[in-house]
Amino acid sequence: MSAEGGTKAIVAALAANLGIAVSKFVAFAFTGSSSMLAESIHSVADSGNQGLLLLGRKRSERSRTPQHPFGYGRERYFYAFVVAVVLFTVGAAFSLYEGYHKISHPEEVESPIWAFAVLLVAIAMESFSFRTAIMESNTVRGDQSWWAFIRRAKAPELPVVLLEDFAALIGLLFALFGVSMAVATGDGVWDGVGTVAIGLLLGAVATILAIETKSLLIGEGADADTERRIVAALESVEEVERLIHMRTEYLGPDELLIAAKIAVHHDDTAAEVARGIDAAEAKIRADVPAAKLIYLEPALDEASRDAGATAAESAPEAPASS
């Protein structure tokens, strides 16, 4: 995913969540529904999360410094991890607490028409945000399944927005169920049940996000297909005999670090080796645009060097001159 990918989805989600949060708080004021309060807090948390994603993207664009020689690309991973923490602590924990309180001390839902109206409007707005996130993701997802895309994406914004919007839509359905059952039966416990369901859902989504963003934060390498293309580009250069070993790591969604040790011909001059390294770097960057930092260490292939030594030892000595 490019550095720009996902901005439209983040902005759409932010606008939708701000509007939804206001409408939900109005509905809560009229109904006293704990499901509506939980959903209101959820929307406020989501709005803050989108702000954090935009902040992380902005801060990641800072130039490298002596203290941070590889730049600030991982700021995007850090703020995505903060989003997961906020979603869990503010969204899930509050919803579970409020649901427990409502089940222990049930209250009748007042003015349910407000709750139904706001929930239906919120579902429509959240659906628009979710549709935007899906369309943005489809431009970079390729033939991956949705689960594989969330697991393997190196840019965290779209997976975060996708999971947040998905959780928001399901949470709205839980809230609608809880309020409907509370109104139909006259038992406010159902409102608390819907709230607990929202809390459990948010906790599950927050856990998935935390696991995935933690993996990115501590450093992930290139996938198998990308590594195969790097190796093919390296070994296609005439001056490179073979790859000895290689390490890769994403310093940010669009910045891949490659460090490799390559075997060169034992009789090549330093100038020929240097030209080979330059050619290899050019081929890698052409095939893998994210490969911004490439460090190649030339070395003699042990097998080739041993073969050369054996050939020299077995060569007949030149006759001594008289």
Side-chain angles (χ1 to χ4, degrees):
M1 185 191 314
S2 69
E4 296 303 319
T7 300
K8 184 178 179 181
I10 298 173
V11 173
L14 177 60
N17 282 314
L18 287 174
I20 292 170
V22 172
S23 62
K24 286 176 181 176
F25 274 118
V26 171
F28 166 70
F30 279 94
T31 64
S33 165
S34 68
S35 291
M36 290 306 305
L37 179 59
E39 277 296 305
S40 302
I41 298 300
H42 176 197
S43 293
V44 171
D46 279 354
S47 300
N49 288 343
Q50 271 92 57
L52 287 171
L53 292 177
L54 291 172
L55 176 63
R57 169 163 291 182
K58 182 66 176 178
R59 290 182 63 83
S60 72
E61 295 171 355
R62 290 179 294 166
S63 301
R64 57 178 51 91
T65 64
Q67 188 176 10
H68 296 91
F70 291 110
Y72 293 84
R74 284 185 179 165
E75 290 258 20
R76 289 167 70 174
Y77 300 152
F78 170 76
Y79 281 96
F81 185 78
V82 173
V83 165
V85 174
V86 170
L87 192 63
F88 185 85
T89 55
V90 177
F94 177 83
S95 297
L96 290 172
Y97 168 78
E98 186 64 23
Y100 170 78
H101 176 75
K102 201 70 170 184
I103 292 172
S104 303
H105 305 86
E107 299 175 5
E108 185 179 351
V109 176
E110 302 174 1
S111 304
I113 190 66
W114 277 95
F116 292 134
V118 168
L119 285 172
L120 292 175
V121 170
I123 287 172
M125 296 178 70
E126 202 66 69
S127 297
F128 169 75
S129 174
F130 192 37
R131 177 177 176 273
T132 302
I134 289 173
M135 292 175 63
E136 286 279 282
S137 299
N138 279 335
T139 62
V140 295
R141 183 168 64 96
D143 58 356
Q144 298 180 90
S145 67
W146 285 106
W147 179 243
F149 173 68
I150 290 170
R151 291 294 309 274
R152 298 173 186 171
K154 301 307 179 186
E157 291 84 5
L158 279 176
V160 169
V161 174
L162 277 169
L163 286 175
E164 276 192 347
D165 285 350
F166 173 77
L169 276 173
I170 302 301
L172 287 167
L173 294 177
F174 285 159
L176 186 61
F177 172 79
V179 172
S180 298
M181 292 298 296
V183 171
T185 63
D187 188 353
V189 168
W190 283 105
D191 189 27
V193 171
T195 308
V196 169
I198 293 170
L200 293 174
L201 173 67
L202 294 180
V205 170
T207 300
I208 294 172
L209 285 177
I211 291 172
E212 294 307 316
T213 53
K214 170 181 172 288
S215 179
L216 290 168
L217 188 59
I218 63 177
E220 283 190 0
D223 57 44
D225 179 64
T226 301
E227 287 201 347
R228 280 194 295 268
R229 287 188 283 134
I230 294 170
V231 173
L234 274 172
E235 296 185 341
S236 68
V237 176
E238 183 181 353
E239 290 82 0
V240 178
E241 282 198 9
R242 67 179 181 89
L243 172 70
I244 298 175
H245 63 74
M246 179 176 69
R247 299 290 183 271
T248 63
E249 186 171 320
Y250 277 93
L251 303 175
D254 304 293
E255 190 168 16
L256 179 64
L257 168 67
I258 301 171
K261 190 170 186 176
I262 55 174
V264 297
H265 304 293
H266 70 280
D267 55 351
D268 278 356
T269 65
E272 289 171 331
V273 171
R275 281 197 298 270
I277 288 175
D278 290 342
E281 291 181 356
K283 286 196 172 188
I284 292 172
R285 290 193 174 98
D287 201 35
V288 183
K292 300 294 196 302
L293 296 174
I294 304 173
Y295 298 102
L296 301 180
E297 178 187 358
L300 293 179
D301 191 314
E302 292 296 331
S304 175
R305 184 170 59 184
D306 291 345
T310 302
E313 290 170 0
S314 61
E317 293 185 6
S321 58
S322 55

PDB file of all heavy atoms in Angstrom, residues 77 80-85 147 150-151 153 160 163 203-220:
ATOM      1  N   TYR A  77       2.960   2.584  12.891  1.00  0.00           N
ATOM      2  CA  TYR A  77       2.689   1.355  13.623  1.00  0.00           C
ATOM      3  C   TYR A  77       2.397   1.654  15.095  1.00  0.00           C
ATOM      4  O   TYR A  77       1.514   1.033  15.704  1.00  0.00           O
ATOM      5  CB  TYR A  77       3.875   0.401  13.527  1.00  0.00           C
ATOM      6  CG  TYR A  77       4.232  -0.014  12.113  1.00  0.00           C
ATOM      7  CD1 TYR A  77       5.536  -0.357  11.775  1.00  0.00           C
ATOM      8  CD2 TYR A  77       3.266  -0.065  11.116  1.00  0.00           C
ATOM      9  CE1 TYR A  77       5.864  -0.755  10.487  1.00  0.00           C
ATOM     10  CE2 TYR A  77       3.590  -0.453   9.828  1.00  0.00           C
ATOM     11  CZ  TYR A  77       4.891  -0.791   9.521  1.00  0.00           C
ATOM     12  OH  TYR A  77       5.208  -1.189   8.250  1.00  0.00           O
ATOM     13  N   ALA A  80      -1.095   3.091  15.475  1.00  0.00           N
ATOM     14  CA  ALA A  80      -2.087   2.035  15.243  1.00  0.00           C
ATOM     15  C   ALA A  80      -2.200   1.135  16.477  1.00  0.00           C
ATOM     16  O   ALA A  80      -3.299   0.674  16.827  1.00  0.00           O
ATOM     17  CB  ALA A  80      -1.707   1.211  14.020  1.00  0.00           C
ATOM     18  N   PHE A  81      -1.072   0.900  17.151  1.00  0.00           N
ATOM     19  CA  PHE A  81      -1.109   0.104  18.377  1.00  0.00           C
ATOM     20  C   PHE A  81      -1.848   0.856  19.487  1.00  0.00           C
ATOM     21  O   PHE A  81      -2.622   0.259  20.245  1.00  0.00           O
ATOM     22  CB  PHE A  81       0.314  -0.233  18.828  1.00  0.00           C
ATOM     23  CG  PHE A  81       0.368  -1.150  20.020  1.00  0.00           C
ATOM     24  CD1 PHE A  81       0.161  -2.513  19.866  1.00  0.00           C
ATOM     25  CD2 PHE A  81       0.629  -0.661  21.284  1.00  0.00           C
ATOM     26  CE1 PHE A  81       0.208  -3.371  20.958  1.00  0.00           C
ATOM     27  CE2 PHE A  81       0.684  -1.505  22.388  1.00  0.00           C
ATOM     28  CZ  PHE A  81       0.468  -2.862  22.217  1.00  0.00           C
ATOM     29  N   VAL A  82      -1.633   2.156  19.561  1.00  0.00           N
ATOM     30  CA  VAL A  82      -2.357   2.977  20.537  1.00  0.00           C
ATOM     31  C   VAL A  82      -3.858   2.891  20.283  1.00  0.00           C
ATOM     32  O   VAL A  82      -4.665   2.832  21.219  1.00  0.00           O
ATOM     33  CB  VAL A  82      -1.874   4.443  20.490  1.00  0.00           C
ATOM     34  CG1 VAL A  82      -2.754   5.327  21.373  1.00  0.00           C
ATOM     35  CG2 VAL A  82      -0.428   4.538  20.945  1.00  0.00           C
ATOM     36  N   VAL A  83      -4.255   2.874  19.006  1.00  0.00           N
ATOM     37  CA  VAL A  83      -5.667   2.737  18.648  1.00  0.00           C
ATOM     38  C   VAL A  83      -6.239   1.457  19.250  1.00  0.00           C
ATOM     39  O   VAL A  83      -7.347   1.451  19.802  1.00  0.00           O
ATOM     40  CB  VAL A  83      -5.843   2.747  17.116  1.00  0.00           C
ATOM     41  CG1 VAL A  83      -7.227   2.232  16.723  1.00  0.00           C
ATOM     42  CG2 VAL A  83      -5.645   4.152  16.570  1.00  0.00           C
ATOM     43  N   ALA A  84      -5.503   0.360  19.133  1.00  0.00           N
ATOM     44  CA  ALA A  84      -5.965  -0.904  19.689  1.00  0.00           C
ATOM     45  C   ALA A  84      -6.138  -0.812  21.204  1.00  0.00           C
ATOM     46  O   ALA A  84      -7.121  -1.320  21.765  1.00  0.00           O
ATOM     47  CB  ALA A  84      -4.984  -2.021  19.342  1.00  0.00           C
ATOM     48  N   VAL A  85      -5.202  -0.144  21.869  1.00  0.00           N
ATOM     49  CA  VAL A  85      -5.284   0.015  23.329  1.00  0.00           C
ATOM     50  C   VAL A  85      -6.491   0.870  23.706  1.00  0.00           C
ATOM     51  O   VAL A  85      -7.244   0.536  24.637  1.00  0.00           O
ATOM     52  CB  VAL A  85      -3.982   0.639  23.874  1.00  0.00           C
ATOM     53  CG1 VAL A  85      -4.125   0.947  25.357  1.00  0.00           C
ATOM     54  CG2 VAL A  85      -2.800  -0.293  23.631  1.00  0.00           C
ATOM     55  N   TRP A 147      -9.079 -11.796   5.401  1.00  0.00           N
ATOM     56  CA  TRP A 147      -8.295 -12.130   6.589  1.00  0.00           C
ATOM     57  C   TRP A 147      -6.803 -12.051   6.290  1.00  0.00           C
ATOM     58  O   TRP A 147      -6.018 -11.524   7.086  1.00  0.00           O
ATOM     59  CB  TRP A 147      -8.673 -13.511   7.090  1.00  0.00           C
ATOM     60  CG  TRP A 147      -7.905 -13.946   8.300  1.00  0.00           C
ATOM     61  CD1 TRP A 147      -7.058 -14.997   8.411  1.00  0.00           C
ATOM     62  CD2 TRP A 147      -7.912 -13.329   9.604  1.00  0.00           C
ATOM     63  NE1 TRP A 147      -6.533 -15.090   9.675  1.00  0.00           N
ATOM     64  CE2 TRP A 147      -7.041 -14.086  10.432  1.00  0.00           C
ATOM     65  CE3 TRP A 147      -8.562 -12.222  10.143  1.00  0.00           C
ATOM     66  CZ2 TRP A 147      -6.806 -13.754  11.763  1.00  0.00           C
ATOM     67  CZ3 TRP A 147      -8.329 -11.893  11.475  1.00  0.00           C
ATOM     68  CH2 TRP A 147      -7.470 -12.651  12.267  1.00  0.00           C
ATOM     69  N   ILE A 150      -5.713  -8.389   6.144  1.00  0.00           N
ATOM     70  CA  ILE A 150      -5.558  -7.796   7.484  1.00  0.00           C
ATOM     71  C   ILE A 150      -4.284  -8.312   8.148  1.00  0.00           C
ATOM     72  O   ILE A 150      -3.563  -7.558   8.807  1.00  0.00           O
ATOM     73  CB  ILE A 150      -6.792  -8.117   8.347  1.00  0.00           C
ATOM     74  CG1 ILE A 150      -8.006  -7.327   7.825  1.00  0.00           C
ATOM     75  CG2 ILE A 150      -6.542  -7.782   9.817  1.00  0.00           C
ATOM     76  CD1 ILE A 150      -9.320  -7.738   8.437  1.00  0.00           C
ATOM     77  N   ARG A 151      -3.959  -9.583   7.952  1.00  0.00           N
ATOM     78  CA  ARG A 151      -2.775 -10.177   8.574  1.00  0.00           C
ATOM     79  C   ARG A 151      -1.475  -9.701   7.937  1.00  0.00           C
ATOM     80  O   ARG A 151      -0.462  -9.532   8.628  1.00  0.00           O
ATOM     81  CB  ARG A 151      -2.832 -11.708   8.485  1.00  0.00           C
ATOM     82  CG  ARG A 151      -3.890 -12.379   9.336  1.00  0.00           C
ATOM     83  CD  ARG A 151      -3.617 -12.221  10.818  1.00  0.00           C
ATOM     84  NE  ARG A 151      -2.274 -12.598  11.190  1.00  0.00           N
ATOM     85  CZ  ARG A 151      -1.906 -13.833  11.488  1.00  0.00           C
ATOM     86  NH1 ARG A 151      -2.779 -14.828  11.437  1.00  0.00           N
ATOM     87  NH2 ARG A 151      -0.667 -14.093  11.853  1.00  0.00           N
ATOM     88  N   ALA A 153      -0.979  -6.936   5.607  1.00  0.00           N
ATOM     89  CA  ALA A 153      -0.803  -5.541   5.181  1.00  0.00           C
ATOM     90  C   ALA A 153       0.301  -4.872   6.004  1.00  0.00           C
ATOM     91  O   ALA A 153       0.348  -5.019   7.229  1.00  0.00           O
ATOM     92  CB  ALA A 153      -2.112  -4.773   5.324  1.00  0.00           C
ATOM     93  N   VAL A 160      -7.058  -1.289  10.214  1.00  0.00           N
ATOM     94  CA  VAL A 160      -7.650  -0.725  11.429  1.00  0.00           C
ATOM     95  C   VAL A 160      -9.041  -0.172  11.140  1.00  0.00           C
ATOM     96  O   VAL A 160     -10.006  -0.454  11.863  1.00  0.00           O
ATOM     97  CB  VAL A 160      -6.745   0.384  12.012  1.00  0.00           C
ATOM     98  CG1 VAL A 160      -7.475   1.153  13.112  1.00  0.00           C
ATOM     99  CG2 VAL A 160      -5.465  -0.220  12.571  1.00  0.00           C
ATOM    100  N   LEU A 163     -11.622  -3.039  10.419  1.00  0.00           N
ATOM    101  CA  LEU A 163     -12.070  -3.749  11.618  1.00  0.00           C
ATOM    102  C   LEU A 163     -12.914  -2.855  12.511  1.00  0.00           C
ATOM    103  O   LEU A 163     -13.908  -3.314  13.094  1.00  0.00           O
ATOM    104  CB  LEU A 163     -10.862  -4.288  12.390  1.00  0.00           C
ATOM    105  CG  LEU A 163     -10.165  -5.494  11.764  1.00  0.00           C
ATOM    106  CD1 LEU A 163      -8.918  -5.866  12.552  1.00  0.00           C
ATOM    107  CD2 LEU A 163     -11.111  -6.694  11.697  1.00  0.00           C
ATOM    108  N   GLY A 203     -13.696  -5.880  22.499  1.00  0.00           N
ATOM    109  CA  GLY A 203     -12.517  -6.518  23.082  1.00  0.00           C
ATOM    110  C   GLY A 203     -11.846  -7.471  22.109  1.00  0.00           C
ATOM    111  O   GLY A 203     -10.620  -7.516  22.011  1.00  0.00           O
ATOM    112  N   ALA A 204     -12.659  -8.241  21.357  1.00  0.00           N
ATOM    113  CA  ALA A 204     -12.098  -9.179  20.379  1.00  0.00           C
ATOM    114  C   ALA A 204     -11.385  -8.431  19.255  1.00  0.00           C
ATOM    115  O   ALA A 204     -10.269  -8.802  18.857  1.00  0.00           O
ATOM    116  CB  ALA A 204     -13.213 -10.055  19.808  1.00  0.00           C
ATOM    117  N   VAL A 205     -12.012  -7.372  18.737  1.00  0.00           N
ATOM    118  CA  VAL A 205     -11.402  -6.599  17.650  1.00  0.00           C
ATOM    119  C   VAL A 205     -10.119  -5.923  18.138  1.00  0.00           C
ATOM    120  O   VAL A 205      -9.098  -5.903  17.434  1.00  0.00           O
ATOM    121  CB  VAL A 205     -12.397  -5.557  17.101  1.00  0.00           C
ATOM    122  CG1 VAL A 205     -11.699  -4.595  16.140  1.00  0.00           C
ATOM    123  CG2 VAL A 205     -13.545  -6.254  16.390  1.00  0.00           C
ATOM    124  N   ALA A 206     -10.157  -5.360  19.342  1.00  0.00           N
ATOM    125  CA  ALA A 206      -8.973  -4.697  19.888  1.00  0.00           C
ATOM    126  C   ALA A 206      -7.821  -5.687  20.051  1.00  0.00           C
ATOM    127  O   ALA A 206      -6.656  -5.347  19.805  1.00  0.00           O
ATOM    128  CB  ALA A 206      -9.307  -4.052  21.231  1.00  0.00           C
ATOM    129  N   THR A 207      -8.121  -6.910  20.457  1.00  0.00           N
ATOM    130  CA  THR A 207      -7.076  -7.932  20.622  1.00  0.00           C
ATOM    131  C   THR A 207      -6.429  -8.269  19.282  1.00  0.00           C
ATOM    132  O   THR A 207      -5.201  -8.380  19.176  1.00  0.00           O
ATOM    133  CB  THR A 207      -7.678  -9.201  21.253  1.00  0.00           C
ATOM    134  OG1 THR A 207      -8.241  -8.874  22.537  1.00  0.00           O
ATOM    135  CG2 THR A 207      -6.608 -10.268  21.426  1.00  0.00           C
ATOM    136  N   ILE A 208      -7.251  -8.441  18.237  1.00  0.00           N
ATOM    137  CA  ILE A 208      -6.712  -8.729  16.901  1.00  0.00           C
ATOM    138  C   ILE A 208      -5.819  -7.594  16.429  1.00  0.00           C
ATOM    139  O   ILE A 208      -4.710  -7.811  15.928  1.00  0.00           O
ATOM    140  CB  ILE A 208      -7.864  -8.961  15.903  1.00  0.00           C
ATOM    141  CG1 ILE A 208      -8.629 -10.232  16.261  1.00  0.00           C
ATOM    142  CG2 ILE A 208      -7.320  -9.052  14.474  1.00  0.00           C
ATOM    143  CD1 ILE A 208      -9.890 -10.438  15.453  1.00  0.00           C
ATOM    144  N   LEU A 209      -6.296  -6.355  16.599  1.00  0.00           N
ATOM    145  CA  LEU A 209      -5.500  -5.195  16.176  1.00  0.00           C
ATOM    146  C   LEU A 209      -4.191  -5.111  16.951  1.00  0.00           C
ATOM    147  O   LEU A 209      -3.140  -4.798  16.377  1.00  0.00           O
ATOM    148  CB  LEU A 209      -6.302  -3.909  16.374  1.00  0.00           C
ATOM    149  CG  LEU A 209      -7.416  -3.630  15.371  1.00  0.00           C
ATOM    150  CD1 LEU A 209      -8.154  -2.353  15.749  1.00  0.00           C
ATOM    151  CD2 LEU A 209      -6.860  -3.511  13.962  1.00  0.00           C
ATOM    152  N   ALA A 210      -4.247  -5.360  18.253  1.00  0.00           N
ATOM    153  CA  ALA A 210      -3.032  -5.283  19.071  1.00  0.00           C
ATOM    154  C   ALA A 210      -1.999  -6.305  18.627  1.00  0.00           C
ATOM    155  O   ALA A 210      -0.806  -6.001  18.521  1.00  0.00           O
ATOM    156  CB  ALA A 210      -3.385  -5.481  20.548  1.00  0.00           C
ATOM    157  N   ILE A 211      -2.442  -7.532  18.338  1.00  0.00           N
ATOM    158  CA  ILE A 211      -1.520  -8.589  17.911  1.00  0.00           C
ATOM    159  C   ILE A 211      -0.859  -8.227  16.591  1.00  0.00           C
ATOM    160  O   ILE A 211       0.367  -8.352  16.422  1.00  0.00           O
ATOM    161  CB  ILE A 211      -2.262  -9.931  17.796  1.00  0.00           C
ATOM    162  CG1 ILE A 211      -2.677 -10.426  19.189  1.00  0.00           C
ATOM    163  CG2 ILE A 211      -1.383 -10.980  17.105  1.00  0.00           C
ATOM    164  CD1 ILE A 211      -3.585 -11.643  19.166  1.00  0.00           C
ATOM    165  N   GLU A 212      -1.666  -7.762  15.624  1.00  0.00           N
ATOM    166  CA  GLU A 212      -1.130  -7.462  14.298  1.00  0.00           C
ATOM    167  C   GLU A 212      -0.212  -6.241  14.311  1.00  0.00           C
ATOM    168  O   GLU A 212       0.849  -6.239  13.683  1.00  0.00           O
ATOM    169  CB  GLU A 212      -2.276  -7.259  13.302  1.00  0.00           C
ATOM    170  CG  GLU A 212      -3.087  -8.516  13.039  1.00  0.00           C
ATOM    171  CD  GLU A 212      -2.219  -9.688  12.620  1.00  0.00           C
ATOM    172  OE1 GLU A 212      -1.318  -9.500  11.781  1.00  0.00           O
ATOM    173  OE2 GLU A 212      -2.424 -10.792  13.153  1.00  0.00           O
ATOM    174  N   THR A 213      -0.617  -5.171  14.997  1.00  0.00           N
ATOM    175  CA  THR A 213       0.208  -3.964  15.009  1.00  0.00           C
ATOM    176  C   THR A 213       1.468  -4.156  15.855  1.00  0.00           C
ATOM    177  O   THR A 213       2.506  -3.564  15.560  1.00  0.00           O
ATOM    178  CB  THR A 213      -0.592  -2.755  15.523  1.00  0.00           C
ATOM    179  OG1 THR A 213      -1.189  -3.060  16.801  1.00  0.00           O
ATOM    180  CG2 THR A 213      -1.693  -2.380  14.545  1.00  0.00           C
ATOM    181  N   LYS A 214       1.405  -4.999  16.886  1.00  0.00           N
ATOM    182  CA  LYS A 214       2.615  -5.307  17.666  1.00  0.00           C
ATOM    183  C   LYS A 214       3.643  -5.986  16.776  1.00  0.00           C
ATOM    184  O   LYS A 214       4.847  -5.679  16.849  1.00  0.00           O
ATOM    185  CB  LYS A 214       2.257  -6.197  18.845  1.00  0.00           C
ATOM    186  CG  LYS A 214       3.467  -6.782  19.585  1.00  0.00           C
ATOM    187  CD  LYS A 214       3.026  -7.668  20.735  1.00  0.00           C
ATOM    188  CE  LYS A 214       4.199  -8.401  21.352  1.00  0.00           C
ATOM    189  NZ  LYS A 214       4.717  -9.485  20.486  1.00  0.00           N
ATOM    190  N   SER A 215       3.193  -6.901  15.937  1.00  0.00           N
ATOM    191  CA  SER A 215       4.108  -7.589  15.031  1.00  0.00           C
ATOM    192  C   SER A 215       4.799  -6.605  14.091  1.00  0.00           C
ATOM    193  O   SER A 215       6.007  -6.693  13.848  1.00  0.00           O
ATOM    194  CB  SER A 215       3.336  -8.640  14.223  1.00  0.00           C
ATOM    195  OG  SER A 215       4.180  -9.307  13.311  1.00  0.00           O
ATOM    196  N   LEU A 216       4.035  -5.635  13.564  1.00  0.00           N
ATOM    197  CA  LEU A 216       4.624  -4.613  12.697  1.00  0.00           C
ATOM    198  C   LEU A 216       5.571  -3.709  13.479  1.00  0.00           C
ATOM    199  O   LEU A 216       6.631  -3.314  12.979  1.00  0.00           O
ATOM    200  CB  LEU A 216       3.510  -3.773  12.065  1.00  0.00           C
ATOM    201  CG  LEU A 216       2.633  -4.474  11.019  1.00  0.00           C
ATOM    202  CD1 LEU A 216       1.409  -3.614  10.710  1.00  0.00           C
ATOM    203  CD2 LEU A 216       3.412  -4.743   9.746  1.00  0.00           C
ATOM    204  N   LEU A 217       5.191  -3.396  14.703  1.00  0.00           N
ATOM    205  CA  LEU A 217       5.972  -2.453  15.510  1.00  0.00           C
ATOM    206  C   LEU A 217       7.351  -3.003  15.847  1.00  0.00           C
ATOM    207  O   LEU A 217       8.346  -2.259  15.825  1.00  0.00           O
ATOM    208  CB  LEU A 217       5.205  -2.120  16.784  1.00  0.00           C
ATOM    209  CG  LEU A 217       5.753  -1.003  17.676  1.00  0.00           C
ATOM    210  CD1 LEU A 217       5.830   0.310  16.911  1.00  0.00           C
ATOM    211  CD2 LEU A 217       4.875  -0.832  18.908  1.00  0.00           C
ATOM    212  N   ILE A 218       7.441  -4.293  16.145  1.00  0.00           N
ATOM    213  CA  ILE A 218       8.744  -4.850  16.516  1.00  0.00           C
ATOM    214  C   ILE A 218       9.559  -5.241  15.288  1.00  0.00           C
ATOM    215  O   ILE A 218      10.740  -5.560  15.406  1.00  0.00           O
ATOM    216  CB  ILE A 218       8.593  -6.064  17.454  1.00  0.00           C
ATOM    217  CG1 ILE A 218       7.850  -7.207  16.758  1.00  0.00           C
ATOM    218  CG2 ILE A 218       7.897  -5.666  18.737  1.00  0.00           C
ATOM    219  CD1 ILE A 218       7.728  -8.454  17.615  1.00  0.00           C
ATOM    220  N   GLY A 219       8.934  -5.212  14.099  1.00  0.00           N
ATOM    221  CA  GLY A 219       9.689  -5.435  12.868  1.00  0.00           C
ATOM    222  C   GLY A 219       9.276  -6.688  12.124  1.00  0.00           C
ATOM    223  O   GLY A 219       9.436  -7.793  12.651  1.00  0.00           O
ATOM    224  N   GLU A 220       8.763  -6.502  10.919  1.00  0.00           N
ATOM    225  CA  GLU A 220       8.412  -7.634  10.053  1.00  0.00           C
ATOM    226  C   GLU A 220       9.253  -7.577   8.791  1.00  0.00           C
ATOM    227  O   GLU A 220       9.564  -6.498   8.290  1.00  0.00           O
ATOM    228  CB  GLU A 220       6.925  -7.606   9.667  1.00  0.00           C
ATOM    229  CG  GLU A 220       5.987  -8.073  10.753  1.00  0.00           C
ATOM    230  CD  GLU A 220       4.573  -8.256  10.237  1.00  0.00           C
ATOM    231  OE1 GLU A 220       4.333  -8.025   9.035  1.00  0.00           O
ATOM    232  OE2 GLU A 220       3.698  -8.623  11.049  1.00  0.00           O
TER     233      GLU A 220
END
